[in-house]
Amino acid sequence: MSDASAMKEQLLNRIKDRSGVIGVIGLGYVGLPLAMEFVHAGFRVIGYDVSERVVDLLMAGQTHIHDVPAAQVQAAVASGSFVATTLEDRLGECDAISIAVPTPLSKTRDPDMAYVLSAADAIARQAHPGLCVVLESTTYPGTTRELLQPRLEAKGLTVGQDIFVAFSPERVDPGNPVYQTKNTPKVVGGVTPACVEVAQALYESCIDTVVPVSSPEAAELVKLLENTFRAVNIGLVNEIAIMCDKLGVNVWEVIDAAATKPFGFMKFTPGPGIGGHCIPLDPHYLAWKMRTLNYKTRFIDLASEINSHMPEWVVQKVADALNEVRKAVRGSRLLVLGVAYKRDIDDVRESPALDVIRLLEERGAHVEFHDPFVQEFREDGHTRKGVELSDEMLQWADAVVVITDHKQVDYQRVVDQATLLVDTRNVTAKLQPGRAQIVPLAAGLRSFGGVA
Ligand code: SAJ
């Protein structure tokens, strides 16, 4: 057996008998659940994060990730199976390391690879023969081979022989009651067949289904296809909403009826735009990479144009609705319901609600918000606090604008107390007529105060 295959067999055995030490870089909504799955599989896990606050709270048996109970962290720390650290040299103890750090986009929508490069350099400083390194952060095709591999080879290691490198996209959906890290199929693409074999064995130790693909580029593109698919289809359905508005057709009725087709159709719903740290951003990694190859990604660009136009569409709906009752936006009192980027969560990142609020305030409106999951949020260095949902607040508002349709809000009460309600999420479809004039996202056959 050659030295290289001996190295690979030794690593495979350490994975198989759980004597291997697993490193996870980045203990956020991706890294911490992954670390806990490796602990659950029987490994000793070293979690490395640059945040002392995160490391300290984890070592104190607490959690900052909703999907990971504090009791699970506490048990992992108490058993000695998990340690969180800011000390880079602890990575030198690891036989395999997964990188789960942020990959934000710059203001000009260029990938900001600083976190990935920092992690790659830390690993390179601590790397040793017989190490497997897997990048999980969403990124453009080519990152693993162009940024990660050279830094590891600079140590004199040979990928596929004494170091094994792969990409495996994260598919964490925070708060998903059905799919968590363990039961969500995991795609793995290695730089060489030996890299695929090792990375596949690594993830098969703790994840139910592992799907090998032939290269890191294929794995990188899998993730981008998944989320570009969503962004493009949301863009399509938002444009259908605009068409329905011009046709005077109820877009929700059309979508619900189309969704009765048992094959060849997948339901998406229009709204005030798209938020979160995945869908608005991920497609732009692909667009950026293709620009370097002089190729224009027309679907991505058009979907982005339509989706990012939706906040302005909503603001125009509000302006038109106020105009119908002889009010100007300037000086109007508006209450936005729901600022999180999607229902029943507390994350406001990239939320279209923030755009709607900004645009309304730029037109001179006085805007307050209520969100049962978000009491306050910081934007441009200042904190914005929400208000309680009271009859007085609903009566105070010249218009109430539903942006995020949290299930726990009593929308019948809103319809009964408000005078004007702009409904961008179709929350009023099945309600009894109340005091409020209802303005749908897209014109329907619904009369004011009635239901379609
Ligand atoms: N949105 C619409 N219409 C839709 C679906 C979504 O307007 O039909 C909006 C949402 O309101 C939100 C944005 O798009 O503002 C993104 O929504 P999302 O449902 O895609 O939720 P995310 O951003 O949390 O996406 C994540 C992704 N998961 C991963 O990247 C691992 C995505 O691939 C999942 O499909 C999605 O969760 C999910 O299904 O929950």
Side-chain angles (χ1 to χ4, degrees), residues 345-356:
I345 64 167
D346 64 359
D347 192 341
V348 299
R349 280 179 290 183
E350 305 291 325
S351 173
L354 277 53
D355 295 319
V356 169

Side-chain angles (χ1 to χ4, degrees), residues 160-285:
Q161 295 186 18
D162 51 16
I163 191 160
F164 305 92
V165 178
F167 183 84
S168 179
E170 60 90 0
R171 283 175 164 174
V172 176
D173 183 28
N176 191 312
V178 177
Y179 294 106
Q180 287 85 40
T181 297
K182 181 168 172 43
N183 67 346
T184 300
K186 198 89 164 74
V187 169
V188 175
V191 172
T192 71
C195 297
V196 178
E197 186 184 354
V198 171
Q200 182 174 357
L202 172 68
Y203 283 105
E204 282 176 340
S205 70
C206 64
I207 292 177
D208 298 344
T209 307
V210 178
V211 180
V213 293
S214 62
S215 68
E217 287 81 8
E220 289 157 343
L221 203 44
V222 163
K223 171 71 177 184
L224 297 179
L225 170 58
E226 288 166 3
N227 284 354
T228 299
F229 165 78
R230 285 184 75 74
V232 168
N233 280 285
I234 295 165
L236 169 64
V237 80
N238 278 330
E239 187 171 46
I240 292 288
I242 293 170
M243 294 181 206
C244 284
D245 188 70
K246 296 181 184 311
L247 293 167
V249 173
N250 183 328
V251 67
W252 306 99
E253 180 186 25
V254 169
I255 292 169
D256 286 344
T260 61
K261 184 180 179 190
F263 52 85
F265 182 79
M266 182 174 178
K267 179 178 179 178
F268 289 86
T269 53
I274 60 173
H277 43 280
C278 302
I279 309 307
L281 305 182
D282 293 354
H284 293 287
Y285 288 109

Side-chain angles (χ1 to χ4, degrees), residues 76-158:
V77 171
S79 67
S81 302
F82 175 70
V83 63
T85 182
T86 58
L87 301 177
E88 174 192 295
D89 58 8
R90 296 298 305 268
L91 295 173
E93 302 168 38
C94 298
D95 298 287
I97 299 174
S98 292
I99 307 170
V101 297
T103 45
L105 282 180
S106 69
K107 287 287 183 205
T108 51
R109 285 187 170 157
D110 298 322
D112 175 357
M113 304 309 291
Y115 295 98
V116 170
L117 293 174
S118 174
D121 290 337
I123 294 172
R125 286 189 289 269
Q126 307 300 330
H128 55 78
L131 174 66
C132 175
V133 181
V134 184
L135 177 59
E136 294 215 355
S137 308
T138 304
T139 185
Y140 62 86
T143 302
T144 306
R145 206 185 293 272
E146 295 164 16
L147 297 188
L148 183 57
Q149 178 175 346
R151 281 165 170 78
L152 299 171
E153 286 178 329
K155 284 273 290 193
L157 297 166
T158 305

Side-chain angles (χ1 to χ4, degrees), residues 15 45 84 129 137 153 211 301 305 314 331-332 364 376 399 412 420 437:
I15 291 170
V45 179
S137 308
E153 286 178 329
V211 180
D301 298 346
E305 181 188 323
V314 168
S332 284
E376 62 181 45
Q412 185 64 57
L420 193 56
Q437 290 180 338

Side-chain angles (χ1 to χ4, degrees), residues 16 23 62 74 92 95 136 139 154 172 185 215 268 287 290 310 319 323 360 362 367:
K16 190 174 176 188
Q62 297 163 21
Q74 200 166 19
D95 298 287
E136 294 215 355
T139 185
V172 176
S215 68
F268 289 86
M290 297 319 292
M310 294 314 286
N323 189 53
L360 288 169
E362 284 173 358
V367 184

